[in-house]
């Protein structure tokens, strides 16, 4: 048999092998690109690829989503482009099979200039070490094991699983600080695999939650406590009974805050020295105790769940 004949035989065997396989399970893969943000909302371009349960056709839909910074709920969505790609399953030639792309829908969106004017903030990239503190468990986002939110965007994406295969877990891969909020890129699948994650969506933590994440990220393993109470009113009473902070270059070392803590058999509130590390490092414990008329006791922070301003209403 000639080499040309061998080549054609191999090609035919490949085609027969492909045709003998069962059709793939239907799956919809999602990926979102962050476009921009303002103080009220942020926008993403979502690309959804539906394999239609076939090796030879797929539908791709690109949608512009505007979501609330405060709630992460969708404010509006606009289909930018929807197209269907079809591969000629009957082609037997030596080259790649012909591919036809049919535009099924084309939406009307604002101009690029108008969109940039409306959502001008690109955000500041979060420190990778900060990202390591985030975990996604059962669709909820946690930081340092503290529950933050069950975001609408993540719940929405969970409505499109593979028909047969169980969905892999979610993890936080990227993040931006924008519009006063923290916006996280959450992906499903193995980010180290050659084919990459199966899905990726952006979700927002509102400004209040972003503040909590920042406070939690700055917590040392141990902090100096001025006392604890069973309720917030009791903790605020401890604060009111402290001597006032005198003016001076080191006045920031005398500031306090309240932290809610939750243990297995105990819940309550600690009043703590916010600059505990500096107080210990500069040997200012006795000075703090004398100036504010309080006793400092080191306590672990692994049970701390929420930072509260001492004058919170």
């Amino acid at each position: 048999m000639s080499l040309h004949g061998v080549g054609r035989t191999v090609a035919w065997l490949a085609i027969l092998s492909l045709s003998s396989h069962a059709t793939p399970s239907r799956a919809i893969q999602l990926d979102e690109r962050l476009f921009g943000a303002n103080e009220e909302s942020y926008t993403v371009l979502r690309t959804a690829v539906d394999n239609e349960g076939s090796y030879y056709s797929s539908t791709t839909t690109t949608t512009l989503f505007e979501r609330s910074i405060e709630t992460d709920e969708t404010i509006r969505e606009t289909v930018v482009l929807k197209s269907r790609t079809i591969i000629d399953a009957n082609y037997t030639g030596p080259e790649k099979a012909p591919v036809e792309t049919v535009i099924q829908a084309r939406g009307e969106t604002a101009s690029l200039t108008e969109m940039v004017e409306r959502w001008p903030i690109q955000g500041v990239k979060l420190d990778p070490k900060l990202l390591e503190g985030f975990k996604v468990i059962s669709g909820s986002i946690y930081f340092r094991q503290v529950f933050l939110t069950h975001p609408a965007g993540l719940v929405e994406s969970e409505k499109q699983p593979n028909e047969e295969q169980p969905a892999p877990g979610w993890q936080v891969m990227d993040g931006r600080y924008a519009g006063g909020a923290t916006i996280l890129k959450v992906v499903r699948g193995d980010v180290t695999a050659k084919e990459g994650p199966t899905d990726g969506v952006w979700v927002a933590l509102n400004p209040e939650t972003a503040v909590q994440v920042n406070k939690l990220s700055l917590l040392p393993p141990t902090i100096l406590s001025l006392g604890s109470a069973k309720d917030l009113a009791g903790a605020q009473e401890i604060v009111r009974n402290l001597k006032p902070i005198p003016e001076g270059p080191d006045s920031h070392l005398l500031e306090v805050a309240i932290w809610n803590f939750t243990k297995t058999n105990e819940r309550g509130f600690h009043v703590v020295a916010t600059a505990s590390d500096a107080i210990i490092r500069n040997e200012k414990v006795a000075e703090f105790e004398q100036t504010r008329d309080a006793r400092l006791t080191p306590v672990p922070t692994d049970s701390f769940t929420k930072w509260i301003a001492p004058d919170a209403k």
Side-chain angles (χ1 to χ4, degrees), residues 140-206:
S140 296
I141 296 180
Y142 292 76
F143 185 79
R144 279 187 46 155
Q145 301 181 338
V146 174
F147 171 80
L148 299 177
T149 183
H150 192 68
L154 198 56
V155 173
E156 177 182 285
S157 65
E158 288 177 341
K159 296 178 182 177
Q160 322 216 18
N162 185 298
E163 282 182 344
E164 295 180 1
Q165 312 235 345
W170 292 92
Q171 57 185 304
V172 176
M173 189 177 73
D174 194 4
R176 299 285 189 276
Y177 182 75
T182 297
I183 307 176
L184 303 173
K185 180 67 177 286
V186 187
V187 301
R188 179 163 55 188
D190 186 357
V191 297
T192 63
K194 185 177 180 180
E195 61 273 15
T198 58
D199 294 298
V201 298
W202 287 88
V203 298
L205 306 179
N206 63 33

Side-chain angles (χ1 to χ4, degrees), residues 243 246 248-251 253-254 279 282-294 296:
K243 286 184 177 179
D250 294 333
S251 60
L253 297 178
L254 300 170
I279 292 170
N282 297 313
E283 299 181 347
K284 298 279 189 179
V285 172
E287 182 180 330
F288 184 104
E289 291 180 335
Q290 181 179 1
T291 303
R292 303 227 64 183
D293 191 22
L296 294 177

